[in-house]
Amino acid sequence: MAGNNIEEKLYQSIFKRKSIRKYSQEPLEMHKLNQIRDFLASRSGLYSNIDVESKIVSEDKISSLLPIKAPHYLVFFSEEKDGYLQNAGFILQHLDLYLSLIGLGSCWFGLAKAKKEIAEQSQLSYVITLAFGAAEEKLYRENKAEFQRKELQELRDKDIHDELIEAARLAPSATNNQPWYFKVSQNRIDLYLEKPNLLKKIFYQKMNQIDIGIAAAHLKLAATHYNKDDKFLFNCPKADQLVDYLYQFSLKVN
Ligand SMILES: Cc1cc2nc3c(=O)[nH]c(=O)nc-3n(C[C@H](O)[C@H](O)[C@H](O)COP(=O)(O)O)c2cc1C
């Protein structure tokens, strides 16, 4: 799978993928793990100036109060520059879709922490983990009704480019919070983050930013699919300030 073909396949995965929490504990073959590493190495982030690093580790290198028992965990590290959490969400959501595409299960694992011995191996800051392996539950959704998501109308102001917003609507988010909002015009989609209340601020601040990157990954794959893809605009001066939402960045569309 090379070039745009893979983007198209990742796009198609959006409509089938689901979080997998039951895994065969059998480790994957080395060539599969290398395939996963190669895929990740081939992806670009939202920001080219942010250094990132990932490692595939086993359960004994991870701690969590609520475990997801998987044979492998992808732990992700990043420089802590502006936008690094969104960048992590954007990169790793492509991996989440890729794992589904190659017949493996995965689950974002926000509750996990990399143990000290692993964290110390990187110069960068620990961000988040993705659990993965062979699924021991149904791997795919069969139709959109199986997604528990907000309605499209709640997520955007105008019905232009709904086919792109639809892909973002199906994106996974921490506790399925779906904290995103889209202001849509002919040439641009502005992404917003729901302003969290105090409780959510404490629990979700980091996760919310990752969620925005995840939605942006789905939006961009859909834009490529529909030949509307242009580029992301950061700090777009034309974006409106909204009362209930915080402006994040924009996707220019053709
Ligand atoms: C940033 C992030 C962190 C998450 N952390 C966890 C977690 O710690 N444990 C877990 O079981 N699921 C976790 N999830 C999975 C979400 O609960 C799941 O994506 C959401 O409920 C939507 O379901 P779906 O992925 O099957 O579409 C996380 C998802 C995201 C995006």
Side-chain angles (χ1 to χ4, degrees):
M1 276 180 281
N4 282 340
N5 193 13
I6 180 88
E7 302 304 299
E8 176 57 22
K9 289 187 167 152
L10 294 175
Y11 170 74
Q12 297 299 341
S13 279
I14 289 174
F15 304 91
K16 298 192 335 189
R17 67 151 294 286
K18 69 199 239 319
S19 290
I20 298 297
R21 296 185 179 85
K22 288 201 182 105
Y23 295 91
S24 155
Q25 296 310 307
E26 193 68 37
L28 297 173
E29 288 175 15
M30 193 48 77
H31 78 91
K32 271 271 167 205
L33 295 178
N34 285 336
Q35 187 185 341
I36 292 162
R37 287 190 187 98
D38 289 348
F39 172 80
L40 209 48
S42 73
R43 304 305 304 183
S44 343
L46 274 174
Y47 302 91
S48 55
N49 65 335
I50 301 183
D51 266 1
V52 299
E53 193 182 353
S54 54
K55 293 181 197 300
I56 296 176
V57 302
S58 49
E59 196 189 1
D60 56 323
K61 305 287 187 288
I62 292 290
S63 59
S64 170
L65 285 177
L66 281 175
I68 299 176
K69 232 178 133 28
H72 305 288
Y73 301 84
L74 187 297
V75 289
F76 194 82
F77 301 88
S78 172
E79 274 185 294
E80 286 194 32
K81 285 185 177 160
D82 280 354
Y84 80 101
L85 294 169
Q86 298 162 344
N87 193 53
F90 184 82
I91 295 171
L92 287 184
Q93 185 53 20
H94 288 95
L95 178 66
D96 175 68
L97 293 168
Y98 182 69
L99 291 166
S100 175
L101 173 60
I102 63 172
L104 294 174
S106 66
C107 189
W108 283 90
F109 196 3
L111 292 175
K113 283 247 158 17
K115 284 192 180 161
K116 209 172 161 202
E117 64 202 269
I118 289 296
E120 278 176 356
Q121 284 176 17
S122 178
Q123 305 292 316
L124 308 176
S125 304
Y126 169 74
V127 181
I128 197 158
T129 293
L130 219 70
F132 70 95
E136 270 194 350
E137 60 174 289
K138 204 172 114 206
L139 184 57
Y140 298 120
R141 290 186 166 108
E142 274 154 38
N143 55 56
K144 278 196 204 167
E146 291 184 23
F147 284 86
Q148 290 180 0
R149 297 293 190 269
K150 292 179 185 168
E151 298 295 327
L152 199 62
Q153 293 78 348
E154 293 175 56
L155 300 180
R156 47 89 169 128
D157 61 339
K158 294 195 196 74
D159 62 358
I160 325 169
H161 304 309
D162 264 359
E163 67 282 22
L164 309 192
I165 306 298
E166 176 63 5
R169 183 180 81 86
L170 300 178
S173 54
T175 62
N176 207 18
N177 195 31
Q178 307 164 65
W180 37 67
Y181 185 75
F182 305 91
K183 244 183 142 283
V184 191
S185 58
Q186 202 55 48
N187 307 318
R188 218 179 64 226
I189 299 175
D190 298 334
L191 282 80
Y192 291 82
L193 170 64
E194 208 172 57
K195 279 188 188 164
N197 60 32
L198 192 63
L199 199 67
K200 283 192 175 180
K201 209 172 184 168
I202 296 164
F203 284 110
Y204 289 113
Q205 201 157 40
K206 189 173 157 191
M207 295 300 143
N208 273 343
Q209 302 281 323
I210 294 176
D211 292 340
I212 290 291
I214 294 173
H218 280 207
L219 202 61
K220 180 125 168 92
L221 286 168
T224 303
H225 171 81
Y226 286 102
N227 285 322
K228 289 182 171 186
D229 193 18
D230 199 325
K231 61 177 178 188
F232 284 108
L233 300 172
F234 300 97
N235 303 317
C236 176
K238 291 184 193 150
D240 292 335
Q241 298 302 321
L242 302 181
V243 177
D244 296 325
Y245 303 94
L246 297 165
Y247 173 64
Q248 303 294 297
F249 51 83
S250 306
L251 180 66
K252 218 167 164 294
V253 282
N254 295 313

